[in-house]
mmCIF file of all heavy atoms in Angstrom:
data_model
loop_
_atom_site.group_PDB
_atom_site.id
_atom_site.type_symbol
_atom_site.label_atom_id
_atom_site.label_comp_id
_atom_site.label_asym_id
_atom_site.label_seq_id
_atom_site.Cartn_x
_atom_site.Cartn_y
_atom_site.Cartn_z
ATOM 1 N N PHE K 1 -30.297 -0.014 -40.391
ATOM 2 C CA PHE K 1 -29.970 -0.043 -38.970
ATOM 3 C C PHE K 1 -29.446 1.325 -38.533
ATOM 4 O O PHE K 1 -29.100 2.177 -39.350
ATOM 5 C CB PHE K 1 -28.930 -1.119 -38.688
ATOM 6 C CG PHE K 1 -29.350 -2.495 -39.097
ATOM 7 C CD1 PHE K 1 -28.925 -3.040 -40.311
ATOM 8 C CD2 PHE K 1 -30.200 -3.247 -38.298
ATOM 9 C CE1 PHE K 1 -29.331 -4.299 -40.710
ATOM 10 C CE2 PHE K 1 -30.614 -4.513 -38.691
ATOM 11 C CZ PHE K 1 -30.171 -5.045 -39.903
ATOM 12 N N GLY K 2 -29.396 1.499 -37.236
ATOM 13 C CA GLY K 2 -28.848 2.728 -36.688
ATOM 14 C C GLY K 2 -28.294 2.477 -35.294
ATOM 15 O O GLY K 2 -28.719 1.544 -34.600
ATOM 16 N N LEU K 3 -27.348 3.296 -34.895
ATOM 17 C CA LEU K 3 -26.712 3.126 -33.590
ATOM 18 C C LEU K 3 -26.568 4.464 -32.899
ATOM 19 O O LEU K 3 -26.087 5.436 -33.489
ATOM 20 C CB LEU K 3 -25.325 2.489 -33.752
ATOM 21 C CG LEU K 3 -24.537 2.282 -32.450
ATOM 22 C CD1 LEU K 3 -25.160 1.155 -31.622
ATOM 23 C CD2 LEU K 3 -23.070 1.970 -32.744
ATOM 24 N N GLU K 4 -26.986 4.507 -31.640
ATOM 25 C CA GLU K 4 -26.691 5.646 -30.779
ATOM 26 C C GLU K 4 -25.489 5.258 -29.932
ATOM 27 O O GLU K 4 -25.529 4.265 -29.201
ATOM 28 C CB GLU K 4 -27.874 5.990 -29.878
ATOM 29 C CG GLU K 4 -27.579 7.159 -28.938
ATOM 30 C CD GLU K 4 -28.589 7.290 -27.816
ATOM 31 O OE1 GLU K 4 -29.539 6.481 -27.754
ATOM 32 O OE2 GLU K 4 -28.428 8.216 -26.990
ATOM 33 N N ALA K 5 -24.410 6.018 -30.041
ATOM 34 C CA ALA K 5 -23.188 5.698 -29.310
ATOM 35 C C ALA K 5 -22.479 6.983 -28.911
ATOM 36 O O ALA K 5 -22.575 8.010 -29.586
ATOM 37 C CB ALA K 5 -22.257 4.827 -30.158
ATOM 38 N N LEU K 6 -21.754 6.915 -27.805
ATOM 39 C CA LEU K 6 -20.948 8.036 -27.327
ATOM 40 C C LEU K 6 -19.607 7.517 -26.862
ATOM 41 O O LEU K 6 -19.518 6.433 -26.282
ATOM 42 C CB LEU K 6 -21.647 8.745 -26.156
ATOM 43 C CG LEU K 6 -23.014 9.387 -26.429
ATOM 44 C CD1 LEU K 6 -23.651 9.811 -25.110
ATOM 45 C CD2 LEU K 6 -22.863 10.581 -27.356
ATOM 46 N N ASP K 7 -18.569 8.280 -27.106
ATOM 47 C CA ASP K 7 -17.257 7.923 -26.569
ATOM 48 C C ASP K 7 -17.030 8.698 -25.277
ATOM 49 O O ASP K 7 -17.599 9.776 -25.069
ATOM 50 C CB ASP K 7 -16.156 8.238 -27.581
ATOM 51 C CG ASP K 7 -14.817 7.634 -27.152
ATOM 52 O OD1 ASP K 7 -14.842 6.584 -26.469
ATOM 53 O OD2 ASP K 7 -13.772 8.204 -27.478
ATOM 54 N N THR K 8 -16.204 8.149 -24.406
ATOM 55 C CA THR K 8 -15.895 8.789 -23.137
ATOM 56 C C THR K 8 -14.396 8.727 -22.874
ATOM 57 O O THR K 8 -13.677 7.902 -23.445
ATOM 58 C CB THR K 8 -16.631 8.106 -21.965
ATOM 59 O OG1 THR K 8 -16.262 6.710 -21.932
ATOM 60 C CG2 THR K 8 -18.128 8.212 -22.119
ATOM 61 N N ILE K 9 -13.935 9.603 -22.006
ATOM 62 C CA ILE K 9 -12.542 9.605 -21.555
ATOM 63 C C ILE K 9 -12.548 9.629 -20.037
ATOM 64 O O ILE K 9 -13.317 10.366 -19.417
ATOM 65 C CB ILE K 9 -11.761 10.811 -22.109
ATOM 66 C CG1 ILE K 9 -11.663 10.713 -23.634
ATOM 67 C CG2 ILE K 9 -10.364 10.894 -21.500
ATOM 68 C CD1 ILE K 9 -10.941 11.876 -24.286
ATOM 69 N N GLU K 10 -11.693 8.835 -19.455
ATOM 70 C CA GLU K 10 -11.645 8.670 -18.005
ATOM 71 C C GLU K 10 -11.495 10.010 -17.291
ATOM 72 O O GLU K 10 -10.665 10.852 -17.661
ATOM 73 C CB GLU K 10 -10.493 7.738 -17.641
ATOM 74 C CG GLU K 10 -10.483 7.306 -16.188
ATOM 75 C CD GLU K 10 -9.417 6.253 -15.937
ATOM 76 O OE1 GLU K 10 -8.547 6.088 -16.805
ATOM 77 O OE2 GLU K 10 -9.464 5.615 -14.877
ATOM 78 N N ASN K 11 -12.336 10.215 -16.271
ATOM 79 C CA ASN K 11 -12.284 11.379 -15.376
ATOM 80 C C ASN K 11 -12.674 12.694 -16.055
ATOM 81 O O ASN K 11 -12.453 13.771 -15.496
ATOM 82 C CB ASN K 11 -10.901 11.539 -14.740
ATOM 83 C CG ASN K 11 -10.506 10.357 -13.871
ATOM 84 O OD1 ASN K 11 -11.353 9.790 -13.184
ATOM 85 N ND2 ASN K 11 -9.245 9.972 -13.919
ATOM 86 N N LEU K 12 -13.261 12.629 -17.250
ATOM 87 C CA LEU K 12 -13.737 13.834 -17.923
ATOM 88 C C LEU K 12 -15.249 13.729 -18.134
ATOM 89 O O LEU K 12 -15.732 12.689 -18.592
ATOM 90 C CB LEU K 12 -13.034 14.035 -19.262
ATOM 91 C CG LEU K 12 -11.545 14.371 -19.203
ATOM 92 C CD1 LEU K 12 -10.972 14.543 -20.617
ATOM 93 C CD2 LEU K 12 -11.288 15.639 -18.394
ATOM 94 N N PRO K 13 -15.998 14.781 -17.821
ATOM 95 C CA PRO K 13 -17.469 14.710 -17.872
ATOM 96 C C PRO K 13 -18.049 15.052 -19.236
ATOM 97 O O PRO K 13 -19.070 15.739 -19.332
ATOM 98 C CB PRO K 13 -17.873 15.764 -16.830
ATOM 99 C CG PRO K 13 -16.818 16.814 -16.962
ATOM 100 C CD PRO K 13 -15.525 16.072 -17.274
ATOM 101 N N PHE K 14 -17.402 14.574 -20.310
ATOM 102 C CA PHE K 14 -17.842 14.919 -21.654
ATOM 103 C C PHE K 14 -18.103 13.665 -22.477
ATOM 104 O O PHE K 14 -17.647 12.574 -22.124
ATOM 105 C CB PHE K 14 -16.787 15.788 -22.363
ATOM 106 C CG PHE K 14 -16.379 17.009 -21.595
ATOM 107 C CD1 PHE K 14 -15.194 17.025 -20.874
ATOM 108 C CD2 PHE K 14 -17.188 18.139 -21.592
ATOM 109 C CE1 PHE K 14 -14.820 18.149 -20.150
ATOM 110 C CE2 PHE K 14 -16.821 19.263 -20.882
ATOM 111 C CZ PHE K 14 -15.635 19.277 -20.153
ATOM 112 N N HIS K 15 -18.822 13.850 -23.565
ATOM 113 C CA HIS K 15 -19.052 12.777 -24.532
ATOM 114 C C HIS K 15 -18.456 13.188 -25.860
ATOM 115 O O HIS K 15 -18.477 14.366 -26.225
ATOM 116 C CB HIS K 15 -20.554 12.499 -24.681
ATOM 117 C CG HIS K 15 -21.177 11.914 -23.458
ATOM 118 N ND1 HIS K 15 -22.435 12.259 -23.030
ATOM 119 C CD2 HIS K 15 -20.706 11.025 -22.557
ATOM 120 C CE1 HIS K 15 -22.725 11.587 -21.927
ATOM 121 N NE2 HIS K 15 -21.690 10.833 -21.616
ATOM 122 N N TYR K 16 -17.937 12.204 -26.587
ATOM 123 C CA TYR K 16 -17.233 12.477 -27.833
ATOM 124 C C TYR K 16 -17.800 11.608 -28.956
ATOM 125 O O TYR K 16 -18.625 10.729 -28.727
ATOM 126 C CB TYR K 16 -15.729 12.206 -27.651
ATOM 127 C CG TYR K 16 -15.155 12.825 -26.409
ATOM 128 C CD1 TYR K 16 -15.064 12.100 -25.223
ATOM 129 C CD2 TYR K 16 -14.721 14.144 -26.403
ATOM 130 C CE1 TYR K 16 -14.552 12.673 -24.062
ATOM 131 C CE2 TYR K 16 -14.207 14.725 -25.259
ATOM 132 C CZ TYR K 16 -14.124 13.987 -24.086
ATOM 133 O OH TYR K 16 -13.621 14.566 -22.948
ATOM 134 N N GLY K 17 -17.312 11.871 -30.164
ATOM 135 C CA GLY K 17 -17.755 11.095 -31.305
ATOM 136 C C GLY K 17 -16.894 9.866 -31.535
ATOM 137 O O GLY K 17 -15.784 9.751 -31.017
ATOM 138 N N LEU K 18 -17.407 8.928 -32.336
ATOM 139 C CA LEU K 18 -16.646 7.752 -32.724
ATOM 140 C C LEU K 18 -15.623 8.125 -33.793
ATOM 141 O O LEU K 18 -15.804 9.085 -34.540
ATOM 142 C CB LEU K 18 -17.573 6.671 -33.272
ATOM 143 C CG LEU K 18 -18.644 6.121 -32.320
ATOM 144 C CD1 LEU K 18 -19.524 5.118 -33.058
ATOM 145 C CD2 LEU K 18 -18.021 5.498 -31.088
ATOM 146 N N TYR K 19 -14.567 7.316 -33.865
ATOM 147 C CA TYR K 19 -13.581 7.463 -34.937
ATOM 148 C C TYR K 19 -13.882 6.490 -36.065
ATOM 149 O O TYR K 19 -13.767 6.835 -37.242
ATOM 150 C CB TYR K 19 -12.180 7.220 -34.378
ATOM 151 C CG TYR K 19 -11.074 7.213 -35.415
ATOM 152 C CD1 TYR K 19 -10.866 8.303 -36.256
ATOM 153 C CD2 TYR K 19 -10.234 6.107 -35.548
ATOM 154 C CE1 TYR K 19 -9.855 8.306 -37.196
ATOM 155 C CE2 TYR K 19 -9.211 6.100 -36.485
ATOM 156 C CZ TYR K 19 -9.023 7.197 -37.304
ATOM 157 O OH TYR K 19 -8.015 7.199 -38.254
ATOM 158 N N GLU K 20 -14.289 5.269 -35.695
ATOM 159 C CA GLU K 20 -14.644 4.253 -36.681
ATOM 160 C C GLU K 20 -15.960 3.605 -36.280
ATOM 161 O O GLU K 20 -16.237 3.388 -35.104
ATOM 162 C CB GLU K 20 -13.562 3.184 -36.791
ATOM 163 C CG GLU K 20 -12.253 3.676 -37.379
ATOM 164 C CD GLU K 20 -11.209 2.578 -37.431
ATOM 165 O OE1 GLU K 20 -10.532 2.366 -36.419
ATOM 166 O OE2 GLU K 20 -11.089 1.933 -38.487
ATOM 167 N N LEU K 21 -16.764 3.282 -37.286
ATOM 168 C CA LEU K 21 -18.036 2.604 -37.061
ATOM 169 C C LEU K 21 -18.279 1.638 -38.208
ATOM 170 O O LEU K 21 -18.098 1.993 -39.376
ATOM 171 C CB LEU K 21 -19.177 3.629 -36.986
ATOM 172 C CG LEU K 21 -20.589 3.066 -36.870
ATOM 173 C CD1 LEU K 21 -20.758 2.261 -35.582
ATOM 174 C CD2 LEU K 21 -21.623 4.200 -36.919
ATOM 175 N N ALA K 22 -18.693 0.410 -37.869
ATOM 176 C CA ALA K 22 -18.960 -0.601 -38.891
ATOM 177 C C ALA K 22 -20.263 -1.335 -38.580
ATOM 178 O O ALA K 22 -20.515 -1.722 -37.437
ATOM 179 C CB ALA K 22 -17.816 -1.603 -38.973
ATOM 180 N N PHE K 23 -21.090 -1.513 -39.612
ATOM 181 C CA PHE K 23 -22.278 -2.360 -39.562
ATOM 182 C C PHE K 23 -22.005 -3.548 -40.469
ATOM 183 O O PHE K 23 -21.669 -3.363 -41.652
ATOM 184 C CB PHE K 23 -23.516 -1.616 -40.071
ATOM 185 C CG PHE K 23 -23.962 -0.464 -39.215
ATOM 186 C CD1 PHE K 23 -23.396 0.789 -39.358
ATOM 187 C CD2 PHE K 23 -24.967 -0.631 -38.271
ATOM 188 C CE1 PHE K 23 -23.821 1.860 -38.594
ATOM 189 C CE2 PHE K 23 -25.404 0.427 -37.495
ATOM 190 C CZ PHE K 23 -24.815 1.681 -37.653
ATOM 191 N N MET K 24 -22.160 -4.772 -39.944
ATOM 192 C CA MET K 24 -21.859 -5.962 -40.728
ATOM 193 C C MET K 24 -22.983 -6.980 -40.628
ATOM 194 O O MET K 24 -23.635 -7.113 -39.586
ATOM 195 C CB MET K 24 -20.558 -6.600 -40.242
ATOM 196 C CG MET K 24 -19.339 -5.701 -40.312
ATOM 197 S SD MET K 24 -17.859 -6.567 -39.762
ATOM 198 C CE MET K 24 -17.663 -7.776 -41.068
ATOM 199 N N ILE K 25 -23.216 -7.684 -41.737
ATOM 200 C CA ILE K 25 -24.099 -8.845 -41.750
ATOM 201 C C ILE K 25 -23.236 -10.040 -42.138
ATOM 202 O O ILE K 25 -22.709 -10.103 -43.249
ATOM 203 C CB ILE K 25 -25.248 -8.685 -42.759
ATOM 204 C CG1 ILE K 25 -26.142 -7.511 -42.372
ATOM 205 C CG2 ILE K 25 -26.050 -9.976 -42.853
ATOM 206 C CD1 ILE K 25 -26.938 -7.727 -41.109
ATOM 207 N N ASP K 26 -23.079 -10.985 -41.208
ATOM 208 C CA ASP K 26 -22.151 -12.098 -41.397
ATOM 209 C C ASP K 26 -20.770 -11.528 -41.771
ATOM 210 O O ASP K 26 -20.212 -10.758 -41.011
ATOM 211 C CB ASP K 26 -22.684 -13.075 -42.434
ATOM 212 C CG ASP K 26 -23.964 -13.774 -41.945
ATOM 213 O OD1 ASP K 26 -24.149 -13.852 -40.717
ATOM 214 O OD2 ASP K 26 -24.749 -14.223 -42.786
ATOM 215 N N LYS K 27 -20.256 -11.858 -42.944
ATOM 216 C CA LYS K 27 -18.936 -11.372 -43.328
ATOM 217 C C LYS K 27 -18.990 -10.149 -44.244
ATOM 218 O O LYS K 27 -17.953 -9.650 -44.685
ATOM 219 C CB LYS K 27 -18.144 -12.495 -44.017
ATOM 220 C CG LYS K 27 -17.833 -13.667 -43.104
ATOM 221 C CD LYS K 27 -17.003 -14.722 -43.829
ATOM 222 C CE LYS K 27 -16.678 -15.882 -42.908
ATOM 223 N NZ LYS K 27 -15.856 -16.919 -43.609
ATOM 224 N N ASP K 28 -20.192 -9.696 -44.540
ATOM 225 C CA ASP K 28 -20.348 -8.543 -45.425
ATOM 226 C C ASP K 28 -20.441 -7.248 -44.612
ATOM 227 O O ASP K 28 -21.186 -7.181 -43.627
ATOM 228 C CB ASP K 28 -21.607 -8.679 -46.279
ATOM 229 C CG ASP K 28 -21.486 -9.781 -47.314
ATOM 230 O OD1 ASP K 28 -20.345 -10.041 -47.756
ATOM 231 O OD2 ASP K 28 -22.513 -10.381 -47.669
ATOM 232 N N THR K 29 -19.725 -6.242 -45.044
ATOM 233 C CA THR K 29 -19.789 -4.933 -44.405
ATOM 234 C C THR K 29 -20.832 -4.083 -45.115
ATOM 235 O O THR K 29 -20.693 -3.772 -46.298
ATOM 236 C CB THR K 29 -18.424 -4.221 -44.454
ATOM 237 O OG1 THR K 29 -17.449 -5.026 -43.783
ATOM 238 C CG2 THR K 29 -18.496 -2.853 -43.786
ATOM 239 N N LEU K 30 -21.879 -3.732 -44.400
ATOM 240 C CA LEU K 30 -22.912 -2.872 -44.969
ATOM 241 C C LEU K 30 -22.436 -1.428 -45.064
ATOM 242 O O LEU K 30 -22.648 -0.749 -46.072
ATOM 243 C CB LEU K 30 -24.190 -2.917 -44.118
ATOM 244 C CG LEU K 30 -24.971 -4.217 -44.045
ATOM 245 C CD1 LEU K 30 -26.241 -4.002 -43.233
ATOM 246 C CD2 LEU K 30 -25.320 -4.719 -45.443
ATOM 247 N N ALA K 31 -21.810 -0.954 -43.986
ATOM 248 C CA ALA K 31 -21.378 0.439 -43.938
ATOM 249 C C ALA K 31 -20.195 0.562 -42.989
ATOM 250 O O ALA K 31 -20.159 -0.091 -41.943
ATOM 251 C CB ALA K 31 -22.526 1.334 -43.477
ATOM 252 N N TYR K 32 -19.237 1.382 -43.382
ATOM 253 C CA TYR K 32 -18.044 1.584 -42.551
ATOM 254 C C TYR K 32 -17.484 2.981 -42.783
ATOM 255 O O TYR K 32 -17.386 3.434 -43.931
ATOM 256 C CB TYR K 32 -16.963 0.550 -42.886
ATOM 257 C CG TYR K 32 -15.599 0.887 -42.298
ATOM 258 C CD1 TYR K 32 -15.351 0.693 -40.941
ATOM 259 C CD2 TYR K 32 -14.589 1.418 -43.093
ATOM 260 C CE1 TYR K 32 -14.114 1.014 -40.400
ATOM 261 C CE2 TYR K 32 -13.350 1.734 -42.554
ATOM 262 C CZ TYR K 32 -13.117 1.533 -41.203
ATOM 263 O OH TYR K 32 -11.905 1.859 -40.670
ATOM 264 N N TYR K 33 -17.145 3.677 -41.708
ATOM 265 C CA TYR K 33 -16.417 4.935 -41.833
ATOM 266 C C TYR K 33 -15.235 4.979 -40.889
ATOM 267 O O TYR K 33 -15.201 4.283 -39.865
ATOM 268 C CB TYR K 33 -17.319 6.158 -41.637
ATOM 269 C CG TYR K 33 -17.813 6.449 -40.227
ATOM 270 C CD1 TYR K 33 -16.942 6.653 -39.155
ATOM 271 C CD2 TYR K 33 -19.183 6.607 -39.982
ATOM 272 C CE1 TYR K 33 -17.405 6.972 -37.890
ATOM 273 C CE2 TYR K 33 -19.656 6.927 -38.713
ATOM 274 C CZ TYR K 33 -18.762 7.108 -37.667
ATOM 275 O OH TYR K 33 -19.220 7.422 -36.413
ATOM 276 N N ARG K 34 -14.284 5.796 -41.266
ATOM 277 C CA ARG K 34 -13.127 6.132 -40.441
ATOM 278 C C ARG K 34 -12.901 7.625 -40.657
ATOM 279 O O ARG K 34 -12.604 8.062 -41.768
ATOM 280 C CB ARG K 34 -11.905 5.330 -40.875
ATOM 281 C CG ARG K 34 -10.616 5.764 -40.199
ATOM 282 C CD ARG K 34 -9.526 4.758 -40.503
ATOM 283 N NE ARG K 34 -8.204 5.354 -40.385
ATOM 284 C CZ ARG K 34 -7.074 4.666 -40.426
ATOM 285 N NH1 ARG K 34 -7.113 3.359 -40.617
ATOM 286 N NH2 ARG K 34 -5.917 5.267 -40.314
ATOM 287 N N LEU K 35 -13.064 8.410 -39.600
ATOM 288 C CA LEU K 35 -13.123 9.856 -39.729
ATOM 289 C C LEU K 35 -11.745 10.496 -39.616
ATOM 290 O O LEU K 35 -11.387 11.091 -38.598
ATOM 291 C CB LEU K 35 -14.090 10.435 -38.689
ATOM 292 C CG LEU K 35 -15.545 9.991 -38.885
ATOM 293 C CD1 LEU K 35 -16.418 10.479 -37.746
ATOM 294 C CD2 LEU K 35 -16.087 10.478 -40.216
ATOM 295 N N ASP K 36 -10.981 10.397 -40.703
ATOM 296 C CA ASP K 36 -9.684 11.073 -40.795
ATOM 297 C C ASP K 36 -9.843 12.493 -41.317
ATOM 298 O O ASP K 36 -9.044 13.371 -40.995
ATOM 299 C CB ASP K 36 -8.739 10.301 -41.718
ATOM 300 C CG ASP K 36 -8.258 9.002 -41.094
ATOM 301 O OD1 ASP K 36 -8.183 8.933 -39.858
ATOM 302 O OD2 ASP K 36 -7.973 8.052 -41.844
ATOM 303 N N SER K 37 -10.866 12.713 -42.143
ATOM 304 C CA SER K 37 -11.089 14.034 -42.706
ATOM 305 C C SER K 37 -12.538 14.146 -43.154
ATOM 306 O O SER K 37 -13.240 13.142 -43.323
ATOM 307 C CB SER K 37 -10.159 14.290 -43.896
ATOM 308 O OG SER K 37 -10.476 13.431 -44.973
ATOM 309 N N ILE K 38 -12.961 15.378 -43.374
ATOM 310 C CA ILE K 38 -14.282 15.655 -43.915
ATOM 311 C C ILE K 38 -14.216 17.004 -44.611
ATOM 312 O O ILE K 38 -13.542 17.922 -44.138
ATOM 313 C CB ILE K 38 -15.350 15.651 -42.793
ATOM 314 C CG1 ILE K 38 -16.761 15.809 -43.380
ATOM 315 C CG2 ILE K 38 -15.071 16.733 -41.760
ATOM 316 C CD1 ILE K 38 -17.856 15.602 -42.351
ATOM 317 N N SER K 39 -14.836 17.127 -45.752
ATOM 318 C CA SER K 39 -14.769 18.391 -46.478
ATOM 319 C C SER K 39 -15.563 19.456 -45.741
ATOM 320 O O SER K 39 -16.562 19.170 -45.065
ATOM 321 C CB SER K 39 -15.300 18.229 -47.909
ATOM 322 O OG SER K 39 -16.696 18.018 -47.907
ATOM 323 N N VAL K 40 -15.109 20.687 -45.860
ATOM 324 C CA VAL K 40 -15.779 21.795 -45.187
ATOM 325 C C VAL K 40 -17.227 21.896 -45.650
ATOM 326 O O VAL K 40 -18.141 22.113 -44.841
ATOM 327 C CB VAL K 40 -15.029 23.116 -45.443
ATOM 328 C CG1 VAL K 40 -15.815 24.304 -44.909
ATOM 329 C CG2 VAL K 40 -13.642 23.073 -44.794
#
């Protein structure tokens, strides 16, 4: 699966990235991230 998504902030004309994203089938999590850090 794949998702196109954008975050927004009120009164600002920009788009941002997600902080958390989860794909689930029933109670199973296929994929999940939380972007606290990323290696250079």
